[in-house]
Every structure is written in structure tokens, then in C-alpha cells.
Amino acid sequence: MPIQRREFIAAIGTGVVASTAGCTQPGQSNSQSDGESGGSQAGVAGETLTLTTTTSTYDTGLLDEIHPAFEDMYGVSVDAVAQGTGAALESARNGDSDVVMVHARGLEDEFMRNGYGINRRDLMFNDFVIVGPESDPAGIQGMGSATEALTAIAESEAQFVSRGDNSGTHTKELNLWEAAGTEPGGDWYQETGTGMGEALNVANQQGAYTLSDRGTYISQRSEIDLVILVQGPIEDGPEILANPYGIMAVNPGVHDNANYDLAMAYIGWITSPGAQDAISSYQVNGEQLFFPEAVSENPNFQQYVPEGWSSDSDG
Amino acid sequence: MPLDSVGHLLQTVVDLPFRDGYVSSIIYVSLYVSVIAVTLSTLFSIPVAIVMGFGDFPGKQFVKSVINTGMGFPSVVVGLLVLFTVSNQGPLGTLELIFTKEAMIMSQFVLATPPITAISLAAISGVDENVRDAAHVLGGTRVDVALVVLKEARYGIATAVLAGFGRAISEVGSVLIVGGNITSAGGISKTRTLTTAIQLEARQGQYETAMILGAVLVALVLTVNAVVVRLGDQEVQR
């Protein structure tokens, strides 16, 4: 079915929230054209967008909260697959998803450099926190430095749970160990190979420390006894614990089956003021989990390309 | 495991079924995928079991050992193989089956086929030689004999189908990999089954919900078992 480009571009360009009058229901065929009246379908109605993302965006309930607005606007459905950053990028590399929402800039840069991802946008941020049992056997409470805290944990050989699943959080944790100049290992260091929620549960059961994104921790705080011992930058902690999320479309030049039009509609929508407001007003247990980053007075053009990229350094 | 929150658990039980069809859609997806997979698997397995039960052909022992190996084949590996098959890079990539119910049916089909074949074969082989001879003596063709034997072995075959269904519906690893555990934003399941929902709820520390879904799964399997056993009993009494 040919994309009605003019209508599509018009719908994106105006950025007008479509009136719900005459809205196509998701799943309905898109044979009906609604002429030039600027209706809610931009030639993508009835299609499905596959989004591979991290367990943190999914398990916090954020996506379930904000996606209906997008689905209604375009008459489409979004399939969100929560995998963790490494797996989400791998699915996209294989052409099994149309758009990725992840949080590991190094891996995102590599993904773009290899030509798989294009049109990256900064989306939102939260931060990482080091959580642990209230008894705090390694005595890291109130340390202003994440690396010092990890060094203290390693020296006292207090139990530490690692995600160990190549996720964004796991990548950050490994970077922290590297920055601390400590090689984690031994009986006290356990890799669970699971999502953030599961890792928090394991740490909770064992009275262990772990590195968590603040969002998942807040979502689960009522279920666990772990407390935040080292804060991230949102609560004036060290900048190294920042956790920015990015979103990228899968390059249709590499995978011609990627639904590029819908992916760009999604990126356009989620970085729009309306969706960014929805992100900042999403709360769990009375706390804001994610802070929007896409709308800014001073556009940061480095967000579109790998960091440090220039046209002659990369072919 | 916080078992002290009995009141909380009861509250969850009361709330759960009314969460906009979340649970019912999960049950529907579980049944849809497993019933179709087991039906297809049965249609494939019974003829194979019949051919092996009645005929002798070179390589029969080899086929037998393949089936027996398949019985113990790790489901996660099956999921991985199906993923490679249906992924965009795989041989069936153009069909775009990844993260769909069809991909889940494929992996459950592969999982259910070995036990259904093996147990059916055992049931067919177990039918008394005298029954076969009697059927022959009464002038039955090979087809007639086969039908008589199948009729005798029907209970064993029902057990086989049950075993296949049990393996399919309680499987978590492969459907998680190829299905993606997706619900629509409205909380209606697309590829989320009871098992993957339990995995997700446990991951999020929602132990009460996970336990309730677990109870639903167990109840489902027991009900299917009870129905088949009853049918068998009635047949025997007649």
C-alpha cells in the first residue's frame, strides 16, 4: 500500500494532535482515505511498530502509560519488547524491530557507526543509584563518589549483585568498576543475567548491594527492603551516575522491511512537547521517574550522530 | 517470599480479573498458541507413530533415537533455533514472524512433537499381537488392522497428546525468546502467555500476581487432564 506522502508529511509537520473525529481504530484496514481533511491517519493506519527497549522503560510502566496517545493519533499499534539494551540493539541489527529505545551511549554510537541506526534523538534521562541493605556492611552510606563506594564494597567483599546481561545498566556498572580500577570477582560478586527488577529481588533476598536505575528502584521500593546508599545526579550525586536514554530508527537502507515511516512518526511524537510532558508527569509512588530531554532551547546536534563524529573521520 | 500478606493477596485476587481483560487475554493467548501447536503436532505425530508402529524400514532405530533425544531437548535451545529461522536474517525472514503468535506456535510444535510421537508409538506397539492377528484373520486389510489397533491404543494416544499439551503450555524459555512477551498498551496480551507473564511479574517483584497466574496455569492443566481422563473412563466403561 503506497504511503500517502503528502498527507504524512503534513501530519508530521504540523504536529497537530489529530482530532479524534473519524479516528481509525487500530487493526482496521487502511483502505479508507480521508481526503485532504487532515485526519488522523498519515498513511500508516493499521500498521504495527515494533519497539525493542530496555527492561527499565518497560518495568516502570512508562510505555504502557504513554503509548495509547500515539496509537490513537495514528491508528496504529506499538509492540514493545523489553529485552535490555544489548539484546534490543541486537534485535534491531537483525532487522527484527523498527525503532530502539536504549540507554548506553557507547553502544548506541557503535550501532550508528555500523549504519544500523539513524536519526538518533536524546529522549529523557534518569539516574543510577547504588542500593543496598540498611545495615550497610561496606559503610558506603553518603559517599559522594560511586567509584569509592564500589571500591569499599570490593574491599570488604560485601555481596554485590550484577545484572550480567549486557544491558545499559550492566554496561554502566562495568564502566564504574573500570573507573574505580577494581576488577570485580570472587564469591561476593554475583551475576544474575536478568532484568533490573529481578536483580533487585535477588539483591533484596541476599542483603546485597546492586546498581539500579532509579526508576525501577522506585517502582519496586514497596516490595523490597533495600535503600539508596549512593545517590545519582538527580539528587546531587556524582555525574558519572547519569542515565540518559536515546531513541533511534532502524536504517531502512540496511533493512528494507523496517517500518521507517512509522518509526520516524514515533520518534517525532515521543520527542514532541506533548509526549515529553507526558513523560515528565508520569509518576510512580508519587515520584517522577524520567526527566524529558528532547525539547530544548539550544538544540544539541551531537545527539543525531555518534559522539565525536565528523564527516571525514567516519567514512 | 512475603506470605504474611494474605489480605493483600485476597485483594489482588479480587482486583485481578477485572484489570481490563489483562488476565483473560493472557489465558486466551496461552490456549490459542498451545492448542493450535498441539493439534498440528498431533496431526503430524500420529501418522509418524503409525508408520513406525506398523512398518519396518531402514533407519527406524535412528528415527526412534532422534525422537527420544527430542523428548529431552532443552526448550530454550528450540526457541533459539526458531528465532534464527524466523528472524529477518533467517530463511523465513521475509514472512516477518518474529514476535508473533505464529513463531510461538512453531516452537511449541517442535517441543510437543517428540513426546506425542514417542508415547503414541509406545501405545501402538503395546497393543496385543493377538488383536492384530484377529483383525487379519477376519479379513481386514492393512488399513482395517491399523484402525483396530488405533482404537485399542486410543487411551495411550490421548495420554500422548496430554503430555504434549503439558509440555507446550508450561514452557517459558522459547516463547519468551520468539514471542517477546508483548501486550498492547491497553494491557491486552498479544504474545504474552501465562508462563511469560509469571516470569515478568516475578521480575517486577509482584509475587501475588505471579502466584495467582501460576494457580490459573495449574488449574488449566489439571482441567484439561481431568477432561481427557474422564473421556477415557467413559470409553472404557462402554
Side-chain angles (χ1 to χ4, degrees):
Chain A
M1 97 110 241
I3 301 288
Q4 297 149 318
R5 283 192 59 235
R6 272 179 53 204
E7 255 194 309
F8 179 68
I9 291 164
I12 301 273
T14 51
V16 170
V17 178
S19 65
T20 48
C23 226
T24 316
Q25 287 307 304
Q28 209 171 306
S29 84
N30 44 25
S31 54
Q32 57 169 99
S33 152
D34 63 336
E36 296 297 312
S37 61
S40 60
Q41 48 258 290
V44 291
E47 296 181 6
T48 299
L49 178 76
T50 305
L51 161 75
T52 45
T53 182
T54 71
T55 55
S56 55
T57 49
Y58 194 87
D59 287 4
T60 50
L62 173 76
L63 298 182
D64 283 347
E65 176 74 19
I66 64 171
H67 277 170
F70 175 74
E71 293 181 330
D72 292 346
M73 190 185 289
Y74 289 95
V76 296
S77 59
V78 180
D79 285 353
V81 185
Q83 295 179 306
T85 293
L89 290 171
E90 189 55 36
S91 286
R93 228 171 254 128
N94 294 332
D96 292 333
S97 74
D98 307 313
V99 66
V100 278
M101 183 193 296
V102 290
H103 61 138
R105 188 66 201 256
L107 297 177
E108 291 167 53
D109 288 347
E110 184 194 357
F111 185 73
M112 286 191 284
R113 279 209 172 87
N114 295 335
Y116 294 111
I118 49 174
N119 294 343
R120 182 190 172 281
R121 291 291 310 273
D122 288 337
L123 175 63
M124 60 193 183
F125 65 92
N126 69 7
D127 61 357
F128 293 107
V129 289
I130 299 178
V131 298
E134 236 164 324
S135 56
D136 193 12
I140 62 169
Q141 171 101 43
M143 276 189 185
S145 153
T147 48
E148 275 176 39
L150 286 189
T151 308
I153 291 170
E155 278 170 3
S156 62
E157 300 208 343
Q159 294 280 307
F160 185 90
V161 170
S162 164
R163 287 275 296 276
D165 63 348
N166 194 20
S167 60
T169 308
H170 183 223
T171 307
K172 169 64 73 173
E173 183 217 317
L174 295 180
N175 294 345
L176 287 174
W177 285 115
E178 204 176 330
T182 311
E183 187 75 32
D187 286 345
W188 57 274
Y189 184 80
Q190 308 170 63
E191 301 194 13
T192 61
T194 55
M196 191 67 250
E198 191 85 280
L200 280 167
N201 284 327
V202 173
N204 186 49
Q205 304 274 353
Q206 302 190 339
Y209 294 96
T210 190
L211 179 77
S212 171
D213 66 287
R214 188 186 295 269
T216 309
Y217 171 74
I218 289 174
S219 307
Q220 281 191 229
R221 197 172 38 195
S222 56
E223 317 271 348
I224 54 181
D225 303 321
L226 302 172
V227 293
I228 295 181
L229 297 165
V230 177
Q231 291 283 3
I234 289 177
E235 297 286 342
D236 303 323
E239 201 51 42
I240 196 169
L241 291 176
N243 180 24
Y245 287 78
I247 185 150
M248 289 175 282
V250 173
N251 185 351
V254 176
H255 293 296
D256 55 8
N257 67 320
N259 195 333
Y260 179 68
D261 298 298
L262 193 48
M264 289 311 294
Y266 180 80
I267 293 176
W269 167 79
I270 204 165
T271 56
S272 70
Q276 292 279 298
D277 284 348
I279 289 171
S280 64
S281 57
Y282 179 67
Q283 294 194 330
V284 171
N285 300 332
E287 284 198 53
Q288 179 178 349
L289 299 192
F290 296 102
F291 296 79
E293 205 178 15
V295 179
S296 148
E297 272 183 43
N298 308 309
N300 159 27
F301 292 105
Q302 278 297 310
Q303 69 183 305
Y304 298 99
V305 292
E307 284 174 307
W309 184 85
S310 69
S311 51
D312 39 310
S313 70
D314 268 288
Chain B
M1 177 74 244
L3 282 172
D4 49 354
S5 50
V6 174
H8 188 91
L9 185 66
L10 284 173
Q11 190 54 49
T12 317
V13 174
V14 172
D15 290 344
L16 200 64
F18 305 106
R19 254 172 53 190
D20 305 327
Y22 176 70
V23 176
S24 53
S25 69
I26 290 175
I27 295 172
Y28 169 77
V29 170
S30 285
L31 284 174
Y32 175 91
V33 169
S34 297
V35 168
I36 290 183
V38 171
T39 306
L40 293 175
S41 178
T42 305
L43 292 175
F44 173 83
S45 302
I46 306 287
V48 171
I50 290 171
V51 168
M52 292 182 62
F54 288 96
D56 243 331
F57 53 90
K60 185 170 159 180
Q61 280 311 316
F62 173 72
V63 175
K64 250 188 180 158
S65 61
V66 167
I67 292 169
N68 288 335
T69 310
M71 295 249 287
F73 208 68
S75 61
V76 171
V77 179
V78 171
L80 214 51
L81 295 176
V82 172
L83 175 76
F84 293 151
T85 310
V86 300
S87 166
N88 184 49
Q89 304 291 296
L92 299 182
T94 48
L95 300 176
E96 305 217 335
L97 292 176
I98 185 82
F99 306 138
T100 62
K101 293 192 192 74
E102 286 70 29
M104 294 155 78
I105 290 171
M106 278 169 70
S107 67
Q108 290 198 354
F109 173 88
V110 174
L111 287 168
T113 298
I116 296 181
T117 312
I119 299 172
S120 303
L121 180 58
I124 289 169
S125 313
V127 173
D128 199 3
E129 281 293 328
N130 294 337
V131 176
R132 297 189 193 204
D133 294 346
H136 269 302
V137 167
L138 291 171
T141 59
R142 285 187 61 149
V143 175
D144 292 334
V145 176
L147 285 174
V148 168
V149 172
L150 278 186
K151 199 162 178 231
E152 287 296 313
R154 65 184 179 269
Y155 201 42
I157 290 173
T159 310
V161 173
L162 261 189
F165 181 78
R167 180 152 200 216
I169 201 157
S170 25
E171 194 284 316
V172 57
S174 78
V175 291
L176 195 58
I177 294 175
V178 302
N181 201 16
I182 298 167
T183 60
S184 71
I188 300 298
S189 165
K190 184 179 170 230
T191 59
R192 184 169 300 175
T193 63
L194 282 163
T195 51
T196 58
I198 290 167
Q199 190 267 352
L200 176 73
E201 299 290 347
R203 180 172 96 198
Q204 298 180 348
Q206 314 274 8
Y207 292 125
E208 291 89 354
T209 316
M211 274 171 63
I212 291 159
L213 289 168
V216 170
L217 178 59
V218 171
L220 209 63
V221 174
L222 289 179
T223 309
V224 173
N225 274 325
V227 168
V228 173
V229 168
R230 252 204 94 91
L231 287 177
D233 284 350
Q234 284 171 350
E235 301 260 317
V236 170
Q237 283 162 9
R238 250 191 283 146

